[in-house]
Amino acid sequence: MSRILGGSGLSLSSSLSFMGAAFCFSFKGIVNPTVSSDVWIFAGIVAPLLVLLLCRLPQSVNYSGLVFCVAAMGSMGVALCLSLPGQESMLRPIGLLLVNVAYIALLIAWTAVYARLNMAAMVIVVAGTYVAGSVIYFLICALPSILVPGITCCLPFFSAALFAASNRVTDPCGVAGIPEKDTGDRFSARGFLPPKLMVLICAYSLLYGTISNHGTAASNILSAGFVGAFLLLVLLIAGRRTSLHAIFRMLLPLMMIGLAVLPFFDSRIFLVNCAISTCYGVAEVVTILMLCDIAHRFRQSALALNAFARLGIGTAFAVGVVMDGALASAGAPVGGAQVAATLVAIIASMVWLVGNYDLKNTQPLIVGGLGAPSAPESDSVEAADADLIEEFIRTRCAELSSEYHLTPRESEILSLLGFGLTAGLIEKELMLSASTVKTHIRHIYSKMGIHSRDELRYLLRADSPSPR
């Protein structure tokens, strides 16, 4: 595992991220003895909007300082929740709101650090965060009750301090989560949110919302720790060549089978609640990893991508809570909302497994930054630009083939796609059947974690030479 982390060149940052996000993860569970649906819904919408607002600030802003302000807000919430006599205080709901807003905002902030790691290191750090956070939670809960408030108040500051240190290691300019080449539109990340992935995580959030009134902090934390441990085990066995998409495609059928059985049990049972929370946790972790990977490869803002995703998650969770309450008020059988939400989650999982690959797009890839100059001064200049671009495409396709472990045939087809050939032209060029070519393209898209030619075009444009 240390070999994988060291291969990223960011082992120090990985270590800081590992513990920093774990402190953030544990302090929220300590404050919430039970899941507070109303507060969580409000925080799940307010926190992402707050992050999106911060993304609008100039790049010169000290983001580490803002994170410390968020940590102070979380510590204030802890003080209001744990240091007041009596649970009925009017200030307790305010404290819970501050804690949950700070928790979500800090988690989104940490994605800016995750996005700078390679995929193997990112999986280790994110999965390890959940395991370490669970351990910290249960260790603090085992301490004398008089010590818990003081220690818990410090956890957000520990997280913020490690965020500042990690951000300084990986981003000397202190611009967290902002792409290297600012496009001028901080919200352009919306176009890079995978639609089917968002539908999937929202479906599982809907299901999670239907059991929120029956869950406990202990079951949620235990489930998160199990998810992290399982991902670490898979990565340890498979090594650096593991594809996140392959892991998720292996897990989804198991999750679907489990969800199909769970409606026959009462969601108030601890183990059933843990199982549903685990399914949600897997979907949440994979969503974070995929969005950070997209931010890393497509030079998008990790903060904006994850904030938009959190908005969807919070909205779906709210719908699940409302649906559960409405059916219960209408006298529906216990678990009716859970059954309906389970069906939605299973359908969303099946849709995601089918794939979402834009194979009919015939638009050439060699356009824009990869195309010839719009107004060449002479034929010799145009020919020189064409040679430069051709050499770049060949080199870039070779790099992508090596990075994503494509087979020789897939590498060949990727190069043809890079030069603008459509699926029909590739069939004639390689004398293959239409179904064979489309199957290879699907495999290429799956291994590279993309879904359309637009995304492939963007990958090919990385560090592209400018026409003279």
Side-chain angles (χ1 to χ4, degrees):
M1 189 171 295
S2 59
R3 175 177 55 84
I4 296 175
L5 281 174
S8 69
L10 293 172
S11 56
L12 175 59
S13 174
S14 300
S15 302
L16 296 174
S17 304
F18 183 86
M19 290 307 301
F23 288 134
C24 167
F25 177 74
S26 58
F27 92 96
K28 177 254 183 182
I30 296 172
V31 175
N32 287 353
T34 59
V35 179
S36 179
S37 299
D38 296 337
V39 171
W40 180 252
I41 290 172
F42 194 69
I45 295 176
V46 170
L49 289 176
L50 177 63
V51 173
L52 289 174
L53 180 62
L54 295 179
C55 288
R56 281 292 194 182
L57 296 176
Q59 294 194 27
S60 58
V61 171
N62 184 354
Y63 280 84
S64 296
L66 293 176
V67 170
F68 272 105
C69 293
V70 173
M73 181 174 63
S75 295
M76 185 184 301
V78 172
L80 293 176
C81 292
L82 298 183
S83 300
L84 294 174
Q87 300 293 315
E88 69 285 351
S89 171
M90 292 294 292
L91 295 177
R92 179 174 171 78
I94 299 176
L96 284 172
L97 178 61
L98 292 176
V99 166
N100 285 280
V101 169
Y103 163 72
I104 296 174
L106 284 172
L107 282 186
I108 296 175
W110 273 105
T111 61
V113 178
Y114 299 155
R116 301 190 192 105
L117 306 174
N118 65 31
M119 179 56 72
M122 186 167 31
V123 172
I124 290 178
V125 170
V126 174
T129 290
Y130 281 78
V131 175
S134 301
V135 172
I136 293 173
Y137 167 81
F138 287 109
L139 286 177
I140 294 178
C141 289
L143 295 174
S145 57
I146 193 173
L147 300 177
V148 172
I151 295 176
T152 308
C153 282
C154 296
L155 293 179
F157 282 105
F158 291 159
S159 181
L162 290 175
F163 173 85
S166 180
N167 194 45
R168 191 173 296 110
V169 171
T170 59
D171 188 6
C173 297
V175 184
I178 304 300
E180 296 176 12
K181 296 181 179 179
D182 189 10
T183 60
D185 180 9
R186 299 291 176 80
F187 288 169
S188 63
R190 286 177 294 184
F192 288 85
L193 287 172
K196 288 193 176 181
L197 179 62
M198 290 309 304
V199 171
L200 183 67
I201 184 59
C202 288
Y204 278 88
S205 299
L206 176 72
L207 175 59
Y208 189 56
T210 62
I211 67 164
S212 60
N213 292 323
H214 313 307
T216 63
S219 65
N220 295 334
I221 298 293
L222 186 64
S223 301
F226 176 77
V227 170
F230 182 78
L231 287 177
L232 287 175
L233 179 63
V234 170
L235 186 63
L236 188 62
I237 294 174
R240 295 185 62 175
R241 296 175 64 90
T242 303
S243 166
L244 182 61
H245 288 74
I247 294 176
F248 202 28
R249 284 182 176 273
M250 176 184 67
L251 291 177
L252 266 183
L254 298 177
M255 294 162 63
M256 292 165 60
I257 294 173
L259 291 180
V261 174
L262 290 177
F264 296 99
F265 299 90
D266 192 343
S267 63
R268 288 170 290 188
I269 299 176
F270 181 80
L271 290 179
V272 174
N273 196 280
C274 284
I276 296 177
S277 298
T278 299
C279 291
Y280 168 76
V282 170
E284 181 184 43
V285 170
V286 172
T287 299
I288 292 173
L289 291 171
M290 288 186 176
L291 292 181
C292 289
D293 182 51
I294 290 172
H296 177 77
R297 292 185 296 154
F298 299 130
R299 295 179 180 176
Q300 296 299 305
S301 168
L303 296 178
L305 276 172
N306 283 276
F308 278 118
R310 285 286 174 181
L311 276 177
I313 291 173
T315 303
F317 180 85
V319 172
V321 173
V322 171
M323 185 170 67
D324 182 54
L327 291 180
S329 301
V334 176
Q338 179 194 341
V339 173
T342 298
L343 181 61
V344 173
I346 292 176
I347 293 174
S349 301
M350 294 176 63
V351 171
W352 194 90
L353 284 172
V354 169
N356 183 26
Y357 306 119
D358 181 14
L359 304 181
K360 297 181 180 180
N361 189 339
T362 59
Q363 184 180 7
L365 292 177
I366 310 178
V367 295
L370 290 178
S374 57
E377 297 178 1
S378 65
D379 292 341
S380 61
V381 173
E382 184 176 3
D385 288 335
D387 292 340
L388 181 64
I389 291 169
E390 180 179 352
E391 178 62 26
F392 166 76
I393 294 247
R394 293 187 186 280
T395 303
R396 183 62 179 156
C397 287
E399 292 174 351
L400 292 174
S401 298
S402 175
E403 181 179 354
Y404 296 102
H405 313 295
L406 302 185
T407 65
R409 177 64 82 181
E410 291 168 352
S411 300
E412 185 178 17
I413 292 177
L414 175 64
S415 296
L416 295 177
L417 289 173
F419 284 108
L421 273 67
T422 62
L425 292 176
I426 293 175
E427 296 169 20
K428 297 177 182 179
E429 177 73 18
L430 301 180
M431 293 183 292
L432 299 173
S433 66
S435 61
T436 300
V437 171
K438 289 183 178 180
T439 298
H440 281 306
I441 295 177
R442 287 193 184 94
H443 290 166
I444 292 171
Y445 282 14
S446 176
K447 289 181 178 181
M448 296 177 67
I450 58 178
H451 302 82
S452 68
R453 285 207 167 200
D454 289 335
E455 295 180 1
L456 179 56
R457 183 184 301 111
Y458 203 98
L459 279 181
L460 289 173
R461 290 180 61 166
D463 301 321
S464 60
S466 301
R468 286 184 291 237

